[in-house]
């Protein structure tokens, strides 16, 4: 036996004793031969990658055909070894698995190619789910070795992982893969947020571990007294899931972290419910926090009892109670099927599920990919479907239909049938008439009323509230999405032509806030709708340009003042060069103002621009507005720093932090402790729980800025702080 394969075979013997080791060794030999001259970006021999993928799959307990396909998965794409040769050597099953995993021809680039890759993967996996399992293991090993790729590739792959592959792993119940993919991608995409959460977790670990130990001892003791055999252990917290809970529950880190997780593993379903009763006898359960996923398993075959109780010190403790078989399936999901292939029927007393019995979601994906002609739209639908949790509602005949959380009767209608969706005119939920945009809840019985008119069709307003990808796709198809996009492009082009005719600064005008404000003034929801209106002839391009120029103060303003959004610094003493700390070459008595768009301070390279009636404005040399000012070289003047004791400078900084209560007061207190005079502040909080604060303040000595930044960076939750200017960070 090849000694390189010994670790793999050791794992295979433990998880799948009946596997054909000779077949696996032959697959390795073929792969090693064909990849012999290839290296990975890390410099390692290429064969290390297929071997690592096969090892990941062996740990999941997959069968020998899957392991062979994993070893051979890159040969057809990256070597001279053809698919026909592979089928001849290893048979049709392994050949089909490798073909399913093989990516599209490398000539195709961009989002469409990526969407087509996902689409091909969906088609292949609908025939054999093992294709997707190999793909997930392949992505996991690539994420583990991602540091050798260039930064833009790392970000692209990590985003793909978070949006597509980790949710797919979740859909298939493969939580061990999902958690690792999420944490690796999170660390790659948002290293500063990741490090801040890791630091906060490690700071609280000792106190948390003591509390956890106390809870485990009490639960174990109670179960022993009740004669229930159980394994009780703490649940690991994954950094990305902590971050996601901060976003989803809209709470601060400390509130999340008090939610200590305990897992109780017992021998039978009866013991699950007995253990639940024992735990509730000691601690009061939190109302509304009990979930029975044993009686009603999740879409991905997951089964467990979930309860939250008020534990010691009045802190909430979350417990999951399940059998060992359920635990194996919760960790490995669909990959655990090979353990239970001989099982038949629905979840029985052992808590095991028939292979493929709950995989209707895959068939739904297959329907989508047939009916969605635009691959980009398919990918968008897939991302959306993967990112939401579900509600289960009933048809009048009692059939269960799964819909995304927040779904409406329109989503339900399209889930029943496309024609039912198109002709939907009303709905009755639990016997009561409801508006079409009302949200459905778990267990609702929904009845749809349809129109018999031959002209019946969906309303464009439905797109504002439908949640499911299927409904969205069908409504868009009805309204011929392509026609609108053509109108948008035509409108954009017409406005551009009209601006060029007048010699206006096209890029500045069309990318500014002015266009959005104008669209809203004209009663259009966004800029795209304004473009579409021009393209469809509802409004003339010339009229739009005239209104746009008028809104920013005429043609002269459009040419000059768009760039000049600077305000004079408040100066002590005479508003001349000395007070601003800047002198103009050849004339020390010219009024100088420091531009607010880039807030220059001593040490920055600067240029001066003679404005009309406002003296000389001073910009940083790398300010974005300087490029436009250089088009009038006769108005540029040489300036140099000459700060005096009474010079005052404006400095703008940006603070990025994980949002929490009292964050703003902590930052402002720290700034005032540093003796800076805050002139303006703005705070925005994004949906991903990141608070971005911008502060503008006066400062006499710019060298003091380093101390200010250091002090702000030490505040809990702050993961980045830097000076901002017109040039970026």
């Amino acid at each position: 036996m090849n000694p390189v394969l010994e670790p793999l075979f050791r794992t295979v013997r433990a998880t799948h004793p009946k596997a054909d080791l000779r077949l696996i060794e032959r697959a390795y030999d073929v792969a090693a031969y064909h990849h012999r001259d290839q290296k990975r970006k890390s410099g390692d021999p290429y064969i290390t990658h297929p071997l690592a993928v096969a090892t990941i799959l062996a740990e999941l307990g997959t069968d020998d055909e899957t392991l062979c396909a994993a070893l051979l998965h890159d040969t057809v794409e990256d070597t001279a070894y053809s698919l026909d040769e592979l089928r001849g050597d290893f048979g049709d099953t392994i050949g089909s698995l490798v073909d399913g995993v093989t990516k599209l021809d490398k000539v195709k680039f961009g989002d469409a190619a990526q969407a087509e890759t996902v689409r091909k993967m969906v088609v292949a996996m609908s025939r054999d789910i093992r294709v997707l399992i190999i793909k997930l293991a392949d992505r996991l090993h690539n994420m583990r070795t991602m540091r050798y790729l260039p930064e833009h590739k790392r970000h692209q792959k990590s985003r793909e992982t978070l949006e597509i592959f980790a949710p797919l792993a979740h859909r298939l119940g493969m939580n061990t893969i999902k958690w690792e993919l999420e944490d690796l991608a999170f660390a790659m995409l948002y290293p500063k947020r990741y490090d801040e959460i890791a630091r906060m977790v490690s700071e609280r670990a000792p106190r948390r571990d003591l509390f956890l130990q106390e809870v485990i001892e009490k639960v174990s003791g109670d179960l022993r007294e009740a004669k229930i055999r159980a394994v009780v252990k703490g649940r690991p917290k994954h950094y990305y899931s902590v971050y996601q809970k901060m976003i989803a529950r809209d709470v601060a880190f400390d509130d999340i972290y008090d939610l200590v997780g305990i897992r109780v593993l017992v021998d039978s379903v009866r013991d699950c419910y007995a253990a639940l009763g024992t735990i509730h006898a000691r601690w009061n359960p939190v109302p509304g926090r009990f979930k029975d996923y044993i009686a009603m398993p999740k879409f991905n075959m997951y089964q467990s009892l979930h309860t939250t109780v008020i534990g010691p010190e009045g802190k909430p403790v979350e417990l999951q109670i399940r059998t060992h078989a359920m635990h194996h399936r919760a960790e490995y999901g669909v990959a655990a099927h090979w353990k239970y292939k001989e099982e038949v029927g629905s979840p029985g007393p052992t808590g095991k599920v028939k292979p493929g019995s709950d995989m209707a979601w895959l068939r739904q994906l297959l329907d989508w990919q047939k009916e969605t002609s635009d691959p980009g739209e398919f990918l968008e639908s897939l991302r959306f479907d993967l990112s939401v949790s579900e509600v289960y509602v009933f048809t009048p005949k009692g059939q269960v239909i799964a819909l995304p959380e927040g779904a409406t009767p329109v989503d339900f209608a399209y889930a029943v049938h496309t024609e039912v969706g198109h002709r939907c005119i009303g709905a009755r939920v639990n016997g009561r008439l409801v508006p079409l945009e009302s949200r459905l809840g778990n267990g609702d019985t929904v009845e749809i009323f349809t129109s018999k008119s031959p002209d019946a069709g969906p309303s464009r307003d439905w797109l504002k509230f439908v949640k499911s990808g299927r409904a969205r796709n069908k409504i868009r198809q009805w309204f011929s999405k392509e026609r609108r996009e053509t109108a948008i492009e035509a409108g954009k082009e017409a406005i551009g032509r009209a601006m060029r005719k007048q010699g206006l600064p096209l890029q500045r005008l069309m990318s500014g806030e002015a266009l959005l404000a104008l669209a809203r003034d004209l009663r259009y929801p966004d800029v795209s709708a304004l473009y579409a209106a021009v393209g469809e002839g509802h409004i003339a391009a010339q009229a739009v340009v005239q209104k746009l120029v008028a809104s920013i103060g005429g043609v002269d303003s459009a040419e000059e003042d768009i760039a000049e959004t600077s305000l004079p610094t408040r100066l002590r003493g005479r508003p001349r060069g000395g007070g601003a700390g800047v002198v103009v070459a050849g004339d020390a008595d010219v009024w100088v103002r420091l531009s607010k768009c880039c807030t220059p301070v001593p040490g920055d390279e600067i240029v001066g621009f003679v404005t009309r009636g406002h003296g000389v404005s001073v910009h940083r040399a790398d300010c974005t507005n300087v490029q436009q000012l250089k088009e009038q070289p006769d108005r540029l003047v040489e300036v140099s720093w000459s700060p005096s004791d009474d010079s005052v400078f404006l400095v703008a900084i940006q603070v990025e932090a994980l949002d929490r209560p009292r964050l703003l007061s902590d930052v402002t207190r720290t700034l005032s402790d540093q003796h800076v005079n805050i002139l303006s502040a703005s705070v925005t909080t994004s949906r991903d729980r990141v608070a971005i604060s911008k502060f503008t303040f006066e400062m006499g000595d710019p060298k003091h800025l380093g101390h200010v930044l250091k002090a702000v960076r030490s505040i809990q939750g702050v993961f980045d702080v830097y000076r901002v200017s017109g040039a970026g960070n």
Side-chain angles (χ1 to χ4, degrees), residues 588-607:
D589 201 34
V590 174
W591 181 21
V592 175
R593 58 176 179 162
L594 299 177
S595 171
K596 201 175 181 183
C597 62
C598 56
T599 56
V601 297
D604 293 340
E605 197 180 328
I606 50 175
V607 295

Side-chain angles (χ1 to χ4, degrees), residues 159-211:
R159 197 163 294 287
E160 239 175 60
T161 299
L162 273 186
E163 290 181 352
I164 293 174
F165 290 98
L168 278 173
H170 175 57
R171 281 274 156 161
L172 300 176
M174 300 168 71
N175 285 323
T176 48
I177 300 272
K178 168 191 174 258
W179 286 326
E180 190 175 351
L181 283 174
E182 284 178 343
D183 277 357
L184 288 167
F186 182 37
M188 202 72 70
L189 278 175
Y190 306 108
K192 290 174 179 171
R193 297 182 203 180
Y194 179 89
D195 291 343
E196 182 62 22
I197 285 179
R199 186 180 67 75
M200 293 194 292
V201 167
S202 63
E203 277 177 4
R204 289 157 180 75
R207 184 165 50 86
R208 179 183 176 277
D209 290 347
L210 285 172
F211 179 74

Side-chain angles (χ1 to χ4, degrees), residues 384-404:
F384 185 83
D385 185 64
L386 293 173
S387 65
V388 293
S389 48
E390 295 188 326
V391 293
Y392 297 92
V393 295
F394 296 96
T395 66
K397 292 183 178 175
Q399 183 189 349
V400 178
I401 290 184
L403 295 169

Side-chain angles (χ1 to χ4, degrees), residues 95-117:
S96 298
L97 290 176
V98 171
D99 183 40
V101 178
T102 300
K103 292 186 288 294
L104 289 183
D105 190 5
K106 286 184 174 175
V107 177
K108 298 179 182 175
F109 295 106
D111 287 342
Q114 186 213 348
E116 285 290 359
T117 305

Side-chain angles (χ1 to χ4, degrees), residues 54-70:
T55 306
I56 291 168
L57 292 169
E59 288 163 0
L60 297 177
T62 52
D63 59 3
D64 40 21
E65 288 175 338
T66 311
L67 297 177
C68 290

Side-chain angles (χ1 to χ4, degrees), residues 700-722:
D701 182 3
K703 291 175 188 165
H704 184 45
L705 182 61
H707 300 294
V708 174
L709 297 180
K710 188 176 178 184
V712 174
R713 196 173 278 119
S714 66
I715 298 169
Q716 181 189 309
V718 172
F719 59 81
D720 209 1
V721 55
Y722 46 82

Side-chain angles (χ1 to χ4, degrees), residues 392-434:
Y392 297 92
V393 295
F394 296 96
T395 66
K397 292 183 178 175
Q399 183 189 349
V400 178
I401 290 184
L403 295 169
E405 195 170 24
T408 63
V410 175
D411 294 288
F412 175 86
Y414 278 104
V416 172
H417 194 278
T418 302
E419 280 305 307
V420 175
H422 285 341
R423 295 177 173 279
C424 170
I425 52 170
R428 188 183 279 153
V429 176
N430 301 328
R432 285 188 310 115
L433 288 170
V434 298

